[in-house]
Amino acid sequence: AQEAHEAIRPTDLFRVPAELRGQLDDDQRRLYDLIWKRTVASQMAAALLDRVVVDIGSADGVVGLRATGQTVAFDGFLKLYQEGRDDPSSDEDEDGAMLPPLTVGDPLKQLAVSPLQHFTEPPPRYSEASLVKKMEELGIGRPSTYANIISVLQNRSYVRLEQKRFVPEDKGWLVNAFLVEKFGHWVEYDFTAQLENQLDDVAGGSRFWKDVLRDFWVPFADRLAEVGEQRQREVIDALDHALGPLLFPGDGETDPRLCPRCGEGRLGLKLSGFGPFIGCSRYPDCNYTRAFTIGGGEGGEGEAQRSDRLLGVDPALAEEVWLKIGRFGPYVQRGSG
C-alpha cells in the first residue's frame, strides 16, 4: 500500500505479545497486540473467500430459507488477524456474514426458530472508523490527513458526535449544500482522488507541477469570481432549492411550503446574523418563522421545535401564552398577535 511507510511497526517481530505480559499494562498490551498482529498479517498470504448463496428447504418443501454470505476457502492472514475486531463500533461487512462450509444436500438440524419482524432501515451514520474506511475506498486523503479532517469537521461545528456517530449540524448542511451547488465539480469524489493521483505523478517525476496547478487553478479561479459576483439572494435561493426536499418533506396531499399561519405565503430559507431560519414570503405582513431543522434529529427528536406550542393561559388577563421559535431562537409570547 502507498501509505505503508506511515505505518507503526514493532522494532522486533520476535517479541510476541504473549511474552510481554507483566511488562505492560492492559491498555498497552492490547495496543501492542494490535500493532504486532497487523504487521505480521500484512506479510502473510491473502485470504481466499467464496461468495455463496445457501438455499435451505424443509423436508416437506413448505418452508424455504436463504442465507447470503461468504465461506473461507483459504485462511491466509485471517488465521492471525481479522480487521474490524479491534473496533467494536465498526459496521458489519457489506458482503454478508461468514458461513460454514456446506455442500449440496447436507442435512441440517434445526436448533431454534426466532420469529422476528425486520424493517428496512437506512444505513448507520458514520463513525470515525467507518468514515476513514470510506475515505480510503474513495481514494480521498492519506492516513496522515484523516485525523485532521475529522477534527476540522468537529471544531467548525459541521458535525457532532452522538453515541460515537457523526450527526450533521445546521452549519454542516448549509456549507455542504453551498459547495455542491456552486462548486460541484471540485467536491466530487472522483476529482479529489484524481488530483491526488496527479500529485503522486508529480512526486514520481512523470508530470510537471506547474501543469497540475494550472489545470486546477484557472477554471477554479473563474468559478470563484463568478460566485463572488452573485447577490446574496441568489445564493440563498440556491441553498433553498438544494435543501428544499429535506426542509419541507411533503405527504403528497398538501403543499409543505404553504405558510401555516397566513395560508397564502410560501415558506423558504432565510438568513440572519444569528443563523438560518425558515420564514414566510409575505413578511412583514406575516411574521411566521420556525427553526432551521433538517430531519428533526435522531428518532424524530426536535419535531416539537418546528412549530409554535401553546403553554397555557395567563389567569390575570385571560390571554394565551405561546412558546415560539423565531429567527433569534425560542421565546415566549402572550397573546396570539
Side-chain angles (χ1 to χ4, degrees):
Q2 180 180 357
E3 63 271 14
H5 67 281
E6 299 176 354
I8 299 174
R9 302 185 183 92
T11 56
D12 184 358
L13 290 177
F14 290 99
R15 300 193 70 181
V16 297
E19 294 180 355
L20 299 180
R21 292 184 181 275
Q23 301 181 45
L24 303 175
D25 61 35
D26 290 342
D27 288 338
Q28 292 173 337
R29 183 176 53 80
R30 281 194 293 265
L31 178 59
Y32 182 77
D33 182 75
L34 170 62
I35 295 172
W36 188 89
K37 285 183 177 179
R38 289 193 69 130
T39 302
V40 176
S42 71
Q43 305 303 307
M44 296 173 66
L48 299 179
L49 303 177
D50 294 329
R51 294 199 62 184
V52 296
V53 176
V54 180
D55 289 313
I56 304 169
S58 60
D60 55 11
V62 176
V63 179
L65 304 175
R66 168 169 288 189
T68 302
Q70 302 175 100
T71 58
V72 178
F74 173 67
D75 290 320
F77 70 90
L78 294 178
K79 194 75 172 179
L80 176 66
Y81 175 77
Q82 294 188 34
E83 188 169 3
R85 290 192 172 182
D86 56 297
D87 177 25
S89 65
S90 62
D91 303 317
E92 185 176 347
D93 195 295
E94 296 177 357
D95 294 326
M98 299 300 296
L99 300 176
L102 297 170
T103 58
V104 177
D106 278 352
L108 302 179
K109 180 181 179 181
Q110 177 182 309
L111 298 179
V113 176
S114 301
L116 300 176
Q117 187 174 10
H118 176 73
F119 296 94
T120 301
E121 298 180 352
R125 295 189 181 276
Y126 285 115
S127 64
E128 290 191 17
S130 60
L131 180 59
V132 168
K133 181 179 180 182
K134 189 64 177 180
M135 287 192 291
E136 288 178 339
E137 293 174 357
L138 296 172
I140 296 175
R142 291 288 185 265
S144 58
T145 65
Y146 293 148
N148 184 60
I149 291 173
I150 291 174
S151 64
V152 167
L153 291 175
Q154 297 180 79
N155 294 339
R156 296 185 181 177
S157 299
Y158 295 147
V159 298
R160 67 181 184 274
L161 268 179
E162 286 187 3
Q163 298 179 345
K164 297 184 178 181
R165 298 282 177 174
F166 289 119
V167 178
E169 296 278 22
D170 294 346
K171 184 189 294 186
W173 283 107
L174 283 174
V175 171
N176 180 73
F178 174 77
L179 292 176
V180 171
E181 284 290 306
K182 300 300 182 181
F183 299 93
H185 170 69
W186 290 275
V187 296
E188 286 287 343
Y189 301 139
D190 291 344
F191 175 82
T192 306
Q194 290 172 7
L195 182 59
E196 293 200 1
N197 291 334
Q198 294 175 17
L199 295 177
D200 291 338
D201 293 339
V202 171
S206 59
R207 297 194 66 160
F208 185 45
W209 65 273
K210 287 189 176 181
D211 293 337
V212 175
L213 282 178
R214 186 180 301 109
D215 293 342
F216 164 78
W217 180 251
V218 172
F220 184 68
D222 292 341
R223 184 57 177 163
L224 277 176
E226 181 183 345
V227 173
E229 293 175 358
Q230 294 181 354
R231 295 176 302 171
Q232 185 184 42
R233 186 68 256 171
E234 294 180 73
V235 176
I236 296 175
D237 288 343
L239 296 177
D240 181 85
H241 176 267
L243 296 174
L246 298 173
L247 290 170
F248 311 103
D251 55 11
E253 298 179 359
T254 59
D255 184 359
R257 284 183 178 261
L258 186 65
C259 178
R261 177 170 296 173
C262 68
E264 298 179 13
R266 288 183 59 78
L267 301 180
L269 175 66
K270 300 181 182 298
L271 296 179
S272 72
F274 296 86
F277 66 98
I278 306 301
C280 179
S281 60
R282 294 185 65 246
Y283 178 84
D285 295 330
C286 176
N287 62 354
Y288 175 82
T289 60
R290 78 176 189 215
F292 177 92
T293 306
I294 293 181
E298 293 292 335
E301 296 176 3
E303 188 66 27
Q305 301 177 3
R306 296 160 76 103
S307 59
D308 302 342
R309 181 155 59 98
L310 178 64
L311 297 179
V313 177
D314 184 344
L317 301 175
E319 288 186 332
E320 295 176 339
V321 179
W322 289 84
L323 172 65
K324 295 176 174 286
I325 305 295
R327 67 185 68 182
F328 308 125
Y331 65 96
V332 175
Q333 173 180 301
R334 188 176 62 193
S336 58

